[in-house]
Structures are given as C-alpha cells and as structure tokens.
Amino acid sequence: MPHDHHDHPHSLLPPDPALRVKALETILTRKGLIDPAALDEIIDTYQNRIGPQNGARVVARAWADPAFKAALLADPMPLLTELGYYGRQGEHMVVVENTPETHNMVVCTLCSCYPWPLLGIPPGWYKSDAYRSRAVREPRKVLAEFGVSLPEGTAVRVWDSTAEIRYLVLPMRPEGSEGLDEEALAELVTRDSMIGTGLARVPA
Amino acid sequence: MTRVHDMGGRFGDGAIAPEADGIPQLGDWQARALALTLAAGALGQWNIDISRHARERLSPADYGRFSYFEKWIAALADLLVETGVLTEDDLRGGGAAGVHPLAERAMKAEAVAAVLARGGPADRPSNVAARFEVGQMVRTLRPAANRLVDGGHTRLPAYAAGARGRIVLKHGSHVLPDSNAHRLGEAPEPLYAVAFPASELWADPEAPGDEVVLDLWQSYLEPA
C-alpha cells in the first residue's frame, strides 16, 4: 500500500533535470492535460507578484495599530482574508510574536511547509537538509549563521510545521522606528525576520 | 519505520547559506517544475497528503541525490503513472496520441489566480471529541509510525516520538494525513500545537528554556 517500487516510473524520463521537466511538460501538453500558458501564469505569480512584501505589510500594520495586532494574534484569518492574503498554503495561519522573552523561528523538518500567500515561495535554504535537520536541535547555532545572536534571557521557540497550520513570526519593532508610517515600517521587515531567522532592520 | 525525509535533529548536514531578501528567484526548469506540479494537481487525481508521500517514498538514494525540484518532478511522474493518468509508454515517449479524457479539467491560465486564492483548507467537522485542553501534559507515540499502513505517511517526526510536552494551542479538527495519504478517507480529528522542552528531545540541548512546538493529531498523543 505505501507503493514502494524498485523501478520508479520517473526513471523512464531523461535523467537531466531540465530535459526531464521539458519531457513531462511536452507529454502532458500534447494530451491537453496542461496549458503551458497556465504554467507561465503560475510562474509569474510566484516570481513577480506574491512575496514577502505581503507579510511585511501585515507586520507594519501590527506595529502601527495595537487593535489590529491584538486581533492578528488572536485569530489572523478574518484580517488576512480581508487583505486578500488567503490562499494556497496559507489557509490556516497562526501569527507568533517575538518579545524580549521569546524568539520564535519556523521550520518544516518533514518537507518545506511555508506561508505562501504572505511570504511567497520559500528561499533555497529553508528547503535545505541543513536547515531542516538543524533548526530544531541547534536553533542558536543556525541563528548565528544568519548573523543573529539573542540577548541573555531570551528563550527560543522553534515551530515545526508538521500540519497544514502555517506560522508567521511577528518580529519586534526596531529601536528608532518611532513616528514612521506603515509604508516606511514595512521597509524594515525582511523575509527572514518573518521566518524568525532574522530581525527587522534598524532604520538608517 | 521512518523514511529519509524525516531528518529533524540529524547531524552532519553542514552550514546554511542565507540568501538575499525579497522573492526567491528560481532557475528556468525549477520554475517549470513548480508550475507543472501545481497545474497537474488541478486534474484532481490526488490530494496534498498523497503528493507529499510520493516525494517521501522516493528511494533514499534518489531522495539524497535529487535537488529539491528534481524530487518534485520525479514524484509527479510517479503519481501520474500510479493514478493511470499516464502510462509508462507515455513517459518513454511512445504513448497513445490524442486528447486525454481528463483534458477538460486542465487548469487554464485565466483560472490560475482563482485556484491559488481558493487554496485547500484542511479543517473539517469531526465527531471525534477533543481529549485535551491547553496546558495539559501529553506524550507522543513511540515509535513514530503510521498505525494504519506499515511504512505509510505520518506527520509525527522520529525526533519527537515518545516525548512529553504541553498542549499550547487547539487548532480544531483537521484531515488526518496518515489516512488521507493512502486514500483511506479524511478521518478528521482534533489537532494541537504541543510544546516540548529542548531537554526532552535532545541529549545536549543548547539552552534549558528553549522549546520546539509541533502540530500533532490527537491519535498521536496519550495523556501524560
């Protein structure tokens, strides 16, 4: 029943990855199972339109508006849906807040689950064996490789995304950001700060 | 009883290479592999748990040597043949010509935005009553293994098997991947976020107050 095969069908396709993808796309297109224009559209969506700027807008608003932040932490889905950030791989969001006491960090050790509507597709390192294997066991060493060292007294809480819940880290608002409007605040929010492997930028 | 994808806590993988901020840019064939996999999902011949399991049950040798999107494309080819959408002859380049019976389901360019926006929620009504409350202590099953299908899909990582933790969130009832990945039904049941002290999971934890939180289904847990 787990369908183990010694001769997986994929080995019938050309071994070179670019040729393998091309061959499969050609076969499926010929049979009318794939519309190449739909593939172009999917690629355009995730290479040019949906990305961490979405999450940054949410974080900036949470920093600027205490009522929005409280609602976001309590149940983000109504707010995210209203903002147009509901969608594939973001159906069940939970937002976790970084504080001086707790630093949150997100991983998916079993695959590469990630909040696509808010952050787009994951960076290569998020999907790497090194991040998946190490983030749960030695998050502080992993953070050091991103240039992050936490103050004494801050505990690390690593969220391993083992179900369809997707986690977004609400980073701490940086010193010196008082008086900035939401647009300026969003510029301080990096992708990695919303995964928990980075901190928000300090304004120049 | 575990598979090669279950790598949380493993030693030996080396350093992590951070990347520039912004939207990660894929190579041409990697982007094509991503889009092809999403578009093929619209044919409706499998669910997300079946597709995850298809990647996990690549042979350990293939899983190790394939890059990320090579895993996706290999698993997609395997699924297309296993579900009868394509034949092995098709993959060899010699299959039947002509339009496929499933062609009417092919995702059209103008439908992409709506399909991605619709998503695929996994919460479901369930008649399985919640056994645990926030703050309650629980212990995970050991070994970490699918209890319905030997060698089957599960979302309890090996590193968290037999560990004692505390319920921190109740997520409602969600589709059980252990069942859904094997076409045994969605079998929804309560899902919880469970926090484990690092000292419960690792021989040499980095800091005593650190925690790892996992989302775990009720059938993975016993009171502790």
Side-chain angles (χ1 to χ4, degrees), chain A residues 89-158:
Chain A
Q89 289 297 301
E91 297 92 344
H92 310 286
M93 291 299 308
V94 170
V95 179
V96 291
E97 183 187 16
N98 281 351
T99 65
E101 292 74 39
T102 306
H103 179 88
N104 295 282
M105 184 171 150
V106 183
V107 64
C108 172
T109 63
L110 296 174
C111 45
S112 52
C113 297
Y114 191 74
W116 289 33
L118 288 163
L119 298 185
I121 55 170
W125 59 260
Y126 186 86
K127 306 177 286 184
S128 70
D129 288 6
Y131 186 71
R132 289 168 53 191
S133 62
R134 295 177 53 210
V136 281
R137 183 172 49 75
E138 48 184 18
R140 290 163 187 271
K141 288 198 184 72
V142 168
L143 286 172
E145 288 170 27
F146 285 88
V148 174
S149 74
L150 299 172
E152 192 90 17
T154 302
V156 177
R157 193 179 236 198
V158 182

Side-chain angles (χ1 to χ4, degrees), chain A residues 1-5 7-25 27-43 45-53 86-89 91-92 94 96 107-114 116-117 119-142 145-147 154-167 187 189-192 201, chain B residues 3 5-11 13-26 29 31-36 38-40 43 48-49 52-53 56-59 62-63 66 68-74 76-78 80-82 85-86 88 90-92 95-96 98-100 102-103 106-109 112 116-123 149-152 154-157 159 166 168-169 171 174 182 184 191 193 195 202 206-207 209-217:
Chain A
M1 193 62 192
H3 307 296
D4 283 305
H5 298 291
D7 50 345
H8 285 279
H10 66 252
S11 61
L12 300 169
L13 291 166
D16 174 79
L19 297 179
R20 178 169 281 192
V21 176
K22 182 78 193 155
L24 195 55
E25 182 178 341
I27 295 162
L28 291 169
T29 303
R30 248 187 233 139
K31 291 178 180 291
L33 294 167
I34 287 294
D35 174 5
L39 303 197
D40 295 340
E41 181 65 18
I42 293 169
I43 293 167
T45 302
Y46 288 117
Q47 291 287 258
N48 302 310
R49 298 208 290 273
I50 297 184
Q53 71 278 5
Y86 179 91
R88 184 182 188 281
Q89 289 297 301
E91 297 92 344
H92 310 286
V94 170
V96 291
V107 64
C108 172
T109 63
L110 296 174
C111 45
S112 52
C113 297
Y114 191 74
W116 289 33
L119 298 185
I121 55 170
W125 59 260
Y126 186 86
K127 306 177 286 184
S128 70
D129 288 6
Y131 186 71
R132 289 168 53 191
S133 62
R134 295 177 53 210
V136 281
R137 183 172 49 75
E138 48 184 18
R140 290 163 187 271
K141 288 198 184 72
V142 168
E145 288 170 27
F146 285 88
T154 302
V156 177
R157 193 179 236 198
V158 182
W159 297 80
D160 188 354
S161 314
T162 42
E164 299 305 330
I165 313 296
R166 298 289 169 267
Y167 292 92
E187 291 295 318
V189 184
T190 63
R191 179 194 64 220
D192 293 0
R201 290 190 189 103
Chain B
R3 287 180 189 258
H5 69 286
D6 184 5
M7 61 181 69
R10 184 172 80 182
F11 285 83
D13 286 293
I16 292 155
E19 289 163 41
D21 195 29
I23 300 178
Q25 294 300 303
L26 301 174
W29 73 259
R32 225 61 201 163
L34 166 75
L36 197 54
L38 263 53
L43 298 172
I48 190 165
D49 298 303
R52 277 203 189 105
H53 189 50
E56 294 166 7
R57 60 190 164 78
L58 291 170
S59 73
D62 279 350
Y63 196 96
F66 284 167
Y68 185 76
F69 284 111
E70 285 180 275
K71 294 185 186 79
W72 278 41
I73 212 69
L76 175 60
D78 293 344
L80 286 165
V81 171
E82 287 165 13
V85 175
L86 297 182
E88 295 200 347
D90 289 326
L91 295 193
R92 286 189 195 95
V99 172
H100 195 280
L102 290 174
M107 194 195 283
K108 298 285 175 277
V112 166
L116 297 178
R118 191 160 61 237
D123 56 333
V149 176
D150 202 26
T154 189
R155 298 293 286 181
L156 174 58
Y159 78 82
R166 182 178 89 260
V168 292
L169 295 172
H171 294 306
H174 279 234
H182 302 284
L184 298 174
L191 176 72
W202 318 115
E206 281 185 321
D210 291 353
E211 289 182 325
V212 181
V213 185
L214 295 91
D215 287 324
L216 300 171
W217 279 263

Side-chain angles (χ1 to χ4, degrees), chain A residues 53-65 68 72 170-171 173 180-189 194:
Chain A
Q53 71 278 5
N54 293 3
R57 274 186 215 116
V58 174
V59 169
R61 183 165 302 178
W63 284 345
D65 178 349
F68 179 89
L72 187 73
L170 178 60
R173 181 169 174 164
L180 296 180
D181 64 15
E182 274 185 42
E183 204 177 324
L185 287 172
E187 291 295 318
L188 306 177
V189 184
M194 294 180 280

Side-chain angles (χ1 to χ4, degrees), chain B residues 61 72 92 100 107 115 118 148 153 173 198 201 204:
Chain B
W72 278 41
R92 286 189 195 95
H100 195 280
M107 194 195 283
V115 170
R118 191 160 61 237
L148 306 169
H153 181 66
S173 288
L201 305 174
D204 186 18

